[in-house]
Structures are given as structure tokens and as C-alpha cells.
Amino acid sequence: MSILDFLRARKKAPTASIAKERLQIIVAHERGQRDEPDYLPALQKELVEVIRKYVNIDHEQVQVALENQGSCSILELNITLPDR
Amino acid sequence: MSKIIVVTSGKGGVGKTTTSAAIGTGLALRGHKTVIVDFDVGLRNLDLIMGCERRVVYDFVNVINGDATLNQALIKDKRLENLYILAASQTRDKDALTVEGVEKIITELAEQFEYVICDSPAGIEKGAHLAMYLADAAIVVTNPEVSSVRDSDRMLGLLSSKSKRAEEGREPITEHLLLTRYSPERVARGEMLSVEDVEEILSIQMIGVIPESQAVLKASNQGVPVILDEESDAGQAYSDAVDRLLGKEVPHRFLEVQKKGFLQRMFGGKE
Ligand SMILES: Nc1ncnc2c1ncn2[C@@H]1O[C@H](COP(=O)(O)OP(=O)(O)OP(=O)(O)O)[C@@H](O)[C@H]1O
Ligand SMILES: [Mg+2]
């Protein structure tokens, strides 16, 4: 271990702030999912199957999200097509 | 009017039973007729924490099945006039508790008692769901640690959507957060999430912050709820939480690092 590494290791990063940041992200994500209608995962799966008839994509390359804006909701579809 | 309060968490081993025993005893100490109900089927433990394990004859499931009356199954606390315990069954049958059965017994208890405290099992499955289903208020027990905080958030979501109140479109369950096993020393060193951190992440206020304390193990060894150890930090913190539950405004204690005395510093004080 070099002297620099040693000094760095001694000045411990405050891990609580890392925990807080990670939790804020995951909690926001999970709260978003909680309000989603139950059919969203099934919708995503079927969409992947349809697109697959034409292009070879993975499940992760299709993202479906429902955003609520006042009285209406927007269904957002994000499909990443592979490199040509 | 009677109030049904569930003590729940999602994650296991965070301090639900310790909290149920302390809060229930605290309410009885203040003159409220209270019963603490153990919902942890197969893993009965409240009886040990309350020190009445040798007096359990009938349990929750016996009453549901009609093998005993409620009054036969209720165990009266030896220390406090107003305090009763209903033990969980040790059966391995996971379906021993039913929605109808639980509803019938809890409604009957609500007629007799001012406070019905439901000690939930861990998890978010059937047992935990039954424990919270009829609640008017919830105490979500959390440790300042990532998985516990995340699970608490999931539990808060379930409380707002899966209760009888939610189903009937009534006012939702009143949610309280109780942070326990808190170590101000570790927070000061940046090793542990602080009270403010957890409040900010979950956007919910604390009904109590209970320090990590040797008094808890000492109390459970003896079968005495820790709130009866009035000298102890944890006992006093629980006592404040009970006051807050009853609507009093009480400042939080034990959030700062305790300065060690000269002798403690010399001989290495215990944390
Ligand atoms: N403030 C505290 N300080 C120190 N130890 C504590 C504190 N609170 C709880 N504990 C300890 O944590 C352990 C778990 O507590 P408890 O049984 O109350 O948790 P639980 O949430 O009911 O667990 P389960 O999910 O298994 O029902 C026990 O050994 C208890 O003594
Ligand atoms: Mg327990």
C-alpha cells in the first residue's frame, strides 16, 4: 500500500451520506412504481414480443412509464433499437 | 372510542415486539385500558418480553376456533391493573388466522379496551397484512440502516392502500415512524443515517427515537418491558413516544453524543 492510499484510507468517507443518497433514489423509484397500474408489466412484455417480430431486442430495451399530469396521464414508451 | 394500533416494519428483528411491549405498557401506566396482541403465529415472543410466558393457557387461534373464550385467553399483567396480553399460537399452520376470525376478535377487544396494540410479524405477507388490516394508526419501526428504511417505505405504501380503511374509502391509517437502535456516536462519525436523514427520505415525522441501549437486553432477560426501567435511556425515550402518541408535544432526547466523564474516559466507557 502506498503512502497515499494509506492517507486516503484513514480519511474515511462518511458512508451515511452514501446510504442516504442511494435510499433517496430507490425510494423515489419504488414510490413511482407503486402508483403504476397493475397492467404495466404485462403491457411491457407484450410490446417486447411485438417489436421482436421485426427487430431483435431485449426486455430491458423497452421502458414503459406512466406519468400523471393533472387530470391526464401520459404513457411514455422508450425503445432502444440495437446498433445498425 | 377505542384505538387499534399496529406495530409493524417489513424487515424482521428491528424491534417491533420490544416497541409493542413498551408502548402498550406505557399506555396502561397512564391509566388507559390496553391489550397487546401477538400476531406472530408460530413465533410467539411477546409473552417472554412481557414476562408472562408461564401463564399462557389459551391463545389467539384457540379463541378464533372457539376452543376458548376471549376472557379465558386474555392474560392479565401482574404489575399493571389496566394491561392485558393475548398470546400468539405456536401452531405451524400458516392459515390459522383468517380475516374473518381476526376481525371478530379484534372488534370484540375494541369494545373492551381503549387501546388494542397489534404486534405484527415481519414481512409483508399474510400475517403482517392481518395485523395491520383493521388498524386506526400504525407505528412503523425502523433501524437507521438501508434495508430497514427501504422496507419501511414499502410498509408505508401498503398501510395506505391495503387496509380496511382504504378499502372502505375511509380516512387512511395514521402513520407514525419510530426509529430505534439509534447511536448518536455513530451518527456523529458519519457512519449511521441521522434522524433528519430518515425523516427526509421517508417524508414522515418521528413519534420516537430510541437509542441503542443495554437496558433493552437487560429488560428482556427479566421479562420486564423496558419502559418500566425508568432510569434507562431507552425507557425514557419510549415514555416520550407514548406521550407523543397521546398528543403531547415533547422534545426528542438522547439524540446527542453523551459526553463521557473523566473515569469513563480513563477506563473506556461502554457505549
Ligand atoms: N433500542 C435497542 N437497543 C438494543 N437492542 C435492541 C433495541 N431494540 C431492540 N433490540 C434488540 O433487537 C432484537 C430484536 O428485537 P424484537 O424482538 O423487538 O424485534 P422484532 O421486530 O419484534 O423481531 P421479529 O421480526 O422477529 O418479530 C432483540 O434482541 C432486542 O433485544
Ligand atoms: Mg417480534
Side-chain angles (χ1 to χ4, degrees):
Chain A
M1 193 158 78
S2 81
I3 184 98
L4 248 174
D5 285 339
F6 176 73
L7 287 174
R8 253 188 231 128
R10 264 191 30 167
K11 215 178 96 198
K12 271 180 283 171
T15 54
S17 55
I18 304 173
K20 183 181 178 186
E21 210 179 294
R22 291 173 59 218
L23 276 167
Q24 280 175 320
I25 294 167
I26 192 69
V27 164
H29 176 73
E30 288 179 343
R31 283 187 182 177
Q33 279 188 335
R34 211 182 281 160
D35 303 329
E36 277 177 0
D38 299 340
Y39 61 74
L40 234 48
L43 177 68
Q44 172 157 357
K45 201 166 148 256
E46 282 179 46
L47 278 171
V48 174
E49 277 158 26
V50 172
I51 296 165
R52 263 201 160 150
K53 285 189 191 167
Y54 306 94
V55 203
N56 189 20
I57 55 159
D58 274 343
H59 192 76
E60 297 91 65
Q61 286 167 296
V62 174
Q63 261 153 35
V64 186
L66 198 70
E67 213 173 296
N68 291 311
Q69 291 189 345
S71 59
C72 72
S73 311
I74 297 171
L75 185 70
E76 205 178 275
L77 203 58
N78 202 333
I79 306 165
T80 317
L81 296 178
D83 288 344
R84 275 183 291 162
Chain B
M1 260 298 277
S2 136
K3 204 165 175 182
I4 303 168
I5 304 177
V6 61
V7 179
T8 186
S9 67
K11 190 173 157 67
V14 295
K16 293 178 292 296
T17 302
T18 306
T19 299
S20 302
I23 301 273
T25 305
L27 288 166
L29 267 175
R30 285 159 182 71
H32 301 286
K33 197 174 178 203
T34 302
V35 59
I36 317 175
V37 184
D38 191 345
F39 272 79
D40 209 341
V41 174
L43 290 170
R44 173 198 293 166
N45 269 327
L46 179 70
D47 56 340
L48 271 176
I49 302 302
M50 294 298 297
C52 63
E53 69 279 5
R54 294 182 59 187
R55 293 195 288 135
V56 179
V57 182
Y58 296 112
D59 58 54
F60 201 170
V61 171
N62 292 144
V63 182
I64 288 182
N65 293 343
D67 302 331
T69 65
L70 192 50
N71 286 326
Q72 283 175 316
L74 284 172
I75 303 164
K76 192 178 172 310
D77 187 80
K78 285 236 160 111
R79 296 156 292 223
L80 295 173
E81 196 54 40
N82 291 323
L83 186 59
Y84 290 78
I85 288 99
L86 182 58
S89 164
Q90 287 291 45
T91 175
R92 271 183 278 168
D93 174 12
K94 282 210 161 112
D95 297 319
L97 292 185
T98 57
V99 181
E100 300 75 35
V102 168
E103 187 155 7
K104 180 165 172 283
I105 309 306
I106 296 296
T107 311
E108 223 174 297
L109 285 172
E111 282 162 14
Q112 288 186 41
F113 291 89
E114 269 181 87
Y115 287 94
V116 181
I117 310 293
C118 305
D119 179 17
S120 173
I124 53 171
E125 303 303 318
K126 190 178 168 197
H129 177 253
L130 285 173
M132 59 93 127
Y133 184 61
L134 299 161
D136 299 307
I139 297 175
V140 178
V141 181
T142 310
N143 293 159
E145 169 271 320
V146 284
S147 30
S148 173
V149 173
R150 179 205 210 163
D151 288 357
S152 296
D153 191 63
R154 292 196 70 185
M155 190 42 82
L156 289 168
L158 293 174
L159 285 167
S160 64
S161 63
K162 296 276 188 281
S163 68
K164 182 158 181 159
R165 281 175 167 265
E167 280 176 12
E168 291 180 348
R170 280 186 292 150
E171 213 179 294
I173 294 178
T174 311
E175 296 167 346
H176 305 286
L177 197 70
L178 183 129
L179 192 62
T180 183
R181 309 205 70 163
Y182 194 70
S183 164
E185 289 79 15
R186 304 196 70 184
V187 173
R189 288 200 294 264
E191 296 170 8
M192 185 181 267
L193 292 163
S194 69
V195 175
E196 294 78 21
D197 289 341
V198 179
E199 276 182 338
E200 202 182 317
I201 294 162
L202 298 176
S203 31
I204 175 172
Q205 290 231 314
M206 303 282 172
I207 189 104
V209 180
I210 315 299
E212 170 76 28
S213 168
Q214 301 194 337
V216 174
L217 183 60
K218 206 173 110 197
S220 72
N221 282 341
Q222 298 170 288
V224 179
V226 71
I227 199 168
L228 291 178
D229 183 355
E230 289 166 10
E231 306 282 291
S232 70
D233 47 1
Q236 291 176 25
Y238 271 121
S239 189
D240 290 351
V242 174
D243 285 336
R244 286 188 206 102
L245 196 64
L246 294 171
K248 272 200 208 154
E249 271 188 48
V250 189
H252 288 284
R253 293 188 270 177
F254 316 109
L255 302 190
E256 306 301 328
V257 177
Q258 302 292 305
K259 289 228 169 59
K260 281 182 185 164
F262 171 70
L263 281 177
Q264 270 182 305
R265 244 180 297 153
M266 286 285 293
F267 300 108
K270 41 194 179 169
E271 270 182 18

